[in-house]
Amino acid sequence: MNDLSAMMAASANVTPLRQRNILAVASGKGGVGKTFFSISLTHALSKLGRKTLLFDGDLGLANVDIQLGLMPKRDLGQVIDGMVTLGGATTRYNEGGFDIIAGRSGSGSLANLPPAKLTQLRNDLTDLARSYDNIVIDLGAGVDRNVRTFTAPAGISLVVTTDEPTSITDAYAFLKLSYQANPMADLRIVVNMAQTRAEGDKTYETLLAACRKFLGKSPQLAGIIRRDMKVRESIKTQTPLLVRSPTSDAAHDIMALAQKLTAG
């Protein structure tokens, strides 16, 4: 390999600089409402006047388009196959006022991409971020290679948990591994489906205490989203919460969280 080839190969694997406008939404386990939150956060940012893109980064089980009742003409599978560019794969969701890049729902065909293609996809997404005020990445659950790759360029990673012990334990494991990979990572906790704000605070304090004791870290609280039957109705009807029930408790909590994020 000549010097130029070596430099190109090395640069392809360099972790991109973190960009504050890229928000990664992660969780230690499934079933915590991560995709619902990603959609709602993207919508909230759009309502705040920000040009926003939702990227379905759950390459093994993409379902953003399903939750929104969309049938995109273009998706990540076509990007990987070289049929369209990443920017060309965007679908406008007019009802929410934001763009979407959908995965290939239900196929699982993107879950085991070769490292070079995965890195290229991440780099293309980082480039595309220059055209948006915010990009929200809905990651798969856990900390596999795909999740780590797409977390790398995110300026802020939002870790979604509930009050269930297994959810708290898995969220802690995600935080631990993320801090080990990058001690300076900006990780923030989202407590979803809290019975009350006070109960949500208790869940956050439990995670915070473990992080302080065992990791020497104090992740911020991004926000608490109260349990709300309107969320179930929204998902069932494939309609965003901020469209179907904009005055509900959960919608209010998500808007407050988005305002806090954009405030700095």
Side-chain angles (χ1 to χ4, degrees):
M1 181 182 292
N2 60 35
D3 290 343
L4 178 59
S5 297
M7 289 174 62
M8 290 176 65
S11 64
N13 293 310
V14 171
T15 300
L17 293 175
R18 292 175 184 269
Q19 297 181 209
R20 296 295 294 179
N21 68 326
I22 299 181
L23 307 170
V25 179
S27 67
K29 67 184 291 291
V32 299
K34 178 179 52 59
T35 296
F36 153 77
F37 172 72
S38 297
I39 291 170
S40 301
L41 175 61
T42 305
H43 194 179
L45 291 168
S46 174
K47 287 174 73 70
L48 292 173
R50 301 181 72 81
K51 183 182 180 183
T52 310
L53 168 73
L54 175 58
F55 177 84
D56 195 339
D58 187 347
L59 302 186
L61 192 64
N63 61 3
V64 162
D65 52 329
I66 294 173
Q67 285 208 20
L68 289 174
L70 294 176
M71 296 184 66
K73 294 180 180 179
R74 298 171 296 278
D75 61 28
L76 277 178
Q78 291 165 308
V79 175
I80 299 302
D81 293 341
M83 298 170 62
V84 295
T85 64
L86 189 63
T90 59
T91 297
R92 184 69 176 172
Y93 183 58
N94 290 319
E95 198 167 11
F98 56 88
D99 292 341
I100 295 170
I101 295 180
R104 183 164 284 175
S105 299
S107 71
S109 61
L110 304 183
N112 298 303
L113 286 179
K117 283 202 171 186
L118 189 62
T119 299
Q120 185 60 55
L121 187 60
R122 177 199 66 192
N123 293 344
D124 289 346
L125 183 63
T126 305
D127 289 340
L128 188 60
R130 300 190 184 104
S131 301
Y132 288 89
D133 295 317
N134 286 110
I135 284 184
V136 176
I137 306 175
D138 180 33
L139 295 168
V143 288
D144 65 15
R145 176 170 59 95
N146 294 344
V147 170
R148 294 194 305 272
T149 297
F150 286 118
T151 302
I156 300 172
S157 292
L158 301 167
V159 183
V160 182
T161 187
T162 68
D163 62 357
E164 293 181 3
T166 54
S167 178
I168 295 172
T169 300
D170 289 343
Y172 170 78
F174 182 93
L175 291 162
K176 177 181 178 180
L177 292 171
S178 296
Y179 279 129
Q180 287 176 346
N182 177 20
M184 302 304 294
D186 187 348
L187 303 171
R188 305 185 190 185
I189 296 169
V190 176
V191 181
N192 194 25
M193 296 185 272
Q195 292 293 344
T196 63
R197 287 197 179 96
E199 289 298 318
D201 281 330
K202 287 182 183 178
T203 299
Y204 168 64
E205 291 294 337
T206 299
L207 257 177
L208 180 63
C211 289
R212 283 176 171 169
K213 180 176 181 180
F214 299 109
L215 307 178
K217 297 290 184 180
S218 299
Q220 293 183 44
L221 175 65
I224 295 167
I225 303 168
R226 288 167 288 177
R227 186 178 295 276
D228 191 331
M229 288 304 296
K230 297 295 185 182
V231 171
R232 182 185 294 271
E233 294 172 9
S234 155
I235 295 172
K236 193 173 182 179
T237 59
Q238 297 176 298
T239 307
L241 181 69
L242 297 179
V243 170
R244 183 178 175 85
S245 304
T247 61
S248 63
D249 288 345
H252 174 81
D253 295 340
I254 290 166
M255 284 301 304
L257 189 156
Q259 289 169 339
K260 182 179 176 183
L261 279 175
T262 56

